[in-house]
Amino acid sequence: MDLEQWRARLNGSELPVFARTVKDVGQVATSARSSARDLSEVLSRDASMVTRLLRIANSPLFNPHNKPVDTISAAVVLIGFDGVRDLAVSVSLIEKMVAGDLHVRVATHLAQAFHAAAQAKSFSQMAGVAGSEEVFVAGLLKDVGVLAFWSEAAGEAAAIEARCAAGERLEDAQTAVLGFPIDELSAALAEDWQLGDLVRYAAGNKEEHPCVSEIRMAHNLAQQVTTYGWENEQVERCLLRIAAHLDVDENELREVVSENFDSARNIAAGFGIERLEAAFPPAPVKAETHPVQPAPAVDHAIPEPIFADAANDVQADMARTQIAWLSQIAQGVAEQQPRDALMQQVMQGLVASLGLAHADFALLDPGEDRVRIKYSAPGSPQAGDIVVRGVLEAVMSQIEPTPLAQGGELWPGGADFAGRVTLSNKAVGLVACRLPPGAPATQRHLAGLTLFLQQAVLVLLQTEA
């Protein structure tokens, strides 16, 4: 699909169909006869939105004097009609994006967006530009196309991840699979979804608005921090450029930036999503001196193995096999092939691409502490239930796949690593993998399992039993 086709696809999804509350907010906020009470009555129909908005209004970023804001009417007085309206739209859109199973890249980009939004609002205030609430929203939604793609894409996302696993840069992999830079979606969707002029300017990197430069600097800082952490050469240079642009002391800027980061994490925590909270990098060290370390090389593919490394040719073969299987499964989902047949392909692809001896897909019995194997490769599922205890219970509590250095014998036939299956942010089962005798589990095995877990969830969500 080209850009226009993707634009049409996302416009046809549930993402732009914001809650009726948001539409009512827009009507009330633009009426000259509306009062704070009118807006409060409309927002009060959505308890979730009220909770999020009050959390934002009480954050140091919007409420530096720490005066308690416990009603929407008080929030309107503090933030203004337009600010509340724009924040309501942002909250509704983000809730749509995180409603299902949160892809790790959605979590990373969204955490980065909250961080950038907090910094952009503060930078615009330091620059003496009015409308900082609007700047926060524009910073939050600047990369709305990137967020929308990763929250809605299925087979394409898996194909991109497989290319990254083969060593390709993320940007190059996205362009190769999609046929265009993914950033171009943001400007198109900002216009289609009427997200406001500043969001459109920021998404399109247009300088028509004086705050676009602050938003771009904030996003650059957030990206550098996500990639490298706080104490390194790249972030240091970024902070120096921002300090020069705002004409402020660098140490003063560091204190403000640190406070903004804390505010961003606090606001994001209000969404109650474990993977989103975990996507934030560690907070900056608050000390008198700030040693600078060389920036590490960025690996846009898969981190180096933490257990043992494999030869480059084996890794390349693994990645090529993953791409072939993931593409085949995505095509089957698009054609609405039977669920059981597709799930068996998922298991066969997992075994073939990772060089496994065996793999089992097991579902948790509702209300029970045991799982039952549903799909296996090679061979048929073993009958009987497996009690989830010890290391298996630990697997069910982990977001990412984990090695089973000890306790793998609890699984029939043994298991070397496993990962949980998550639907609607709830663990519903797990996949257990066994390697050939003597073969060590590597980080690439864990990353490969993550890809196939995502594909399994896609099959379960989009096909009928």
Side-chain angles (χ1 to χ4, degrees):
M1 292 192 292
D2 60 17
L3 174 60
E4 291 306 313
Q5 289 172 318
W6 265 102
R7 190 173 181 174
R9 172 174 168 177
L10 291 172
N11 278 322
S13 73
E14 292 186 357
L15 284 176
V17 186
F18 301 138
R20 182 178 299 276
T21 303
V22 175
K23 296 180 181 178
D24 293 343
V25 166
Q27 293 173 358
V28 172
T30 55
S31 172
R33 294 181 303 221
S34 297
S35 66
R37 176 178 295 179
D38 296 326
L39 192 56
S40 176
E41 287 178 356
V42 170
L43 286 172
S44 296
R45 300 172 193 166
D46 189 336
S48 174
M49 182 176 292
V50 170
T51 301
R52 313 269 195 247
L53 287 175
L54 290 181
R55 190 181 186 102
I56 294 173
N58 280 287
S59 70
L61 197 66
F62 285 84
N63 190 4
H65 301 297
N66 199 28
K67 183 179 180 180
V69 177
D70 53 10
T71 66
I72 290 297
S73 296
V76 170
V77 173
L78 176 69
I79 301 174
F81 267 59
D82 290 346
V84 170
R85 178 198 60 202
D86 292 345
L87 286 170
V89 171
S90 302
V91 167
S92 180
L93 177 56
I94 290 170
E95 285 185 332
K96 282 288 185 184
M97 289 179 174
V98 302
D101 298 288
L102 193 61
H103 191 287
V104 64
R105 291 209 185 272
V106 177
T108 300
H109 281 293
L110 194 51
Q112 196 168 294
F114 274 113
H115 183 193
Q119 301 293 1
K121 181 180 187 299
S122 181
F123 294 168
S124 69
Q125 290 174 318
M126 295 170 76
V129 180
S132 59
E133 287 76 19
E134 183 185 14
V135 174
F136 178 87
V137 171
L140 190 60
L141 300 182
K142 176 183 182 297
D143 291 332
V144 65
V146 179
L147 291 166
F149 167 79
W150 284 102
S151 63
E152 289 287 304
E156 296 88 356
I160 290 172
E161 294 287 15
R163 284 179 173 271
C164 289
E168 198 167 344
R169 292 177 65 252
L170 174 61
E171 293 78 3
D172 296 336
Q174 288 173 162
T175 303
V177 172
L178 299 179
F180 60 88
I182 197 172
D183 293 354
E184 293 182 7
L185 266 180
S186 295
L189 294 180
E191 180 177 351
D192 292 344
W193 297 350
Q194 300 178 349
L195 298 180
D197 289 341
L198 184 53
V199 177
R200 289 192 293 106
Y201 294 149
N205 291 314
K206 299 177 180 178
E207 300 290 347
E208 281 91 339
H209 194 286
C211 288
V212 170
S213 58
E214 280 74 29
I215 294 171
R216 291 176 64 181
M217 284 189 299
H219 268 268
N220 184 44
L221 174 62
Q223 183 179 26
Q224 297 290 343
V225 169
T226 299
T227 303
Y228 301 119
W230 285 96
E231 304 298 333
N232 64 84
E233 193 175 65
Q234 294 280 17
V235 174
E236 174 71 14
R237 286 201 295 264
C238 187
L239 289 171
L240 286 172
R241 288 194 297 269
I242 295 171
H245 174 82
L246 298 176
D247 193 22
V248 297
D249 178 74
E250 186 192 349
N251 289 327
E252 176 188 347
L253 178 65
R254 282 184 178 277
E255 292 182 9
V256 172
V257 162
S258 177
E259 292 171 358
N260 294 339
F261 179 78
D262 290 341
S263 292
R265 287 202 305 182
N266 181 57
I267 292 172
F271 285 84
I273 299 170
E274 183 181 4
R275 178 165 275 179
L276 174 57
E277 295 181 53
F280 278 87
V285 177
K286 297 179 181 180
E288 293 297 323
T289 59
H290 299 275
V292 177
Q293 301 175 1
V298 183
D299 182 2
H300 290 278
I302 302 298
E304 286 303 306
I306 57 175
F307 303 99
D309 205 350
N312 289 334
D313 56 344
V314 174
Q315 296 169 12
D317 287 342
M318 182 187 297
R320 283 192 292 269
T321 306
Q322 284 177 5
I323 293 172
W325 277 99
L326 292 170
S327 299
Q328 178 179 322
I329 296 164
Q331 182 64 30
V333 172
E335 295 173 355
Q336 285 294 295
Q337 294 178 11
R339 175 183 292 178
D340 285 347
L342 287 171
M343 286 301 301
Q344 201 57 48
Q345 286 186 41
V346 170
M347 300 307 295
Q348 291 170 353
L350 176 64
V351 169
S353 63
L354 299 187
L356 304 179
H358 190 80
D360 292 312
F361 180 101
L363 291 175
L364 186 68
D365 285 342
E368 301 289 340
D369 61 348
R370 59 192 67 235
V371 294
R372 176 165 297 185
I373 298 175
K374 178 72 172 175
Y375 305 101
S376 296
S380 302
Q382 177 172 319
D385 295 345
I386 303 159
V387 177
V388 176
R389 67 178 189 275
V391 69
L392 297 181
E393 190 173 11
V395 169
M396 297 294 281
S397 68
Q398 297 292 319
I399 297 177
E400 305 295 344
T402 184
L404 304 179
Q406 295 179 343
E409 68 278 359
L410 295 176
W411 197 261
D416 296 297
F417 60 100
R420 77 181 187 187
V421 181
T422 307
L423 289 176
S424 301
N425 296 315
K426 180 181 179 182
V428 298
L430 59 85
V431 173
C433 303
R434 185 170 74 249
L435 290 160
T442 71
Q443 183 64 35
R444 286 180 172 81
H445 286 110
L446 302 182
L449 175 56
T450 298
L451 292 178
F452 281 92
L453 286 173
Q454 292 167 0
Q455 205 74 345
V457 169
L458 168 69
V459 171
L460 293 174
L461 289 174
Q462 299 194 14
T463 61
E464 296 182 0

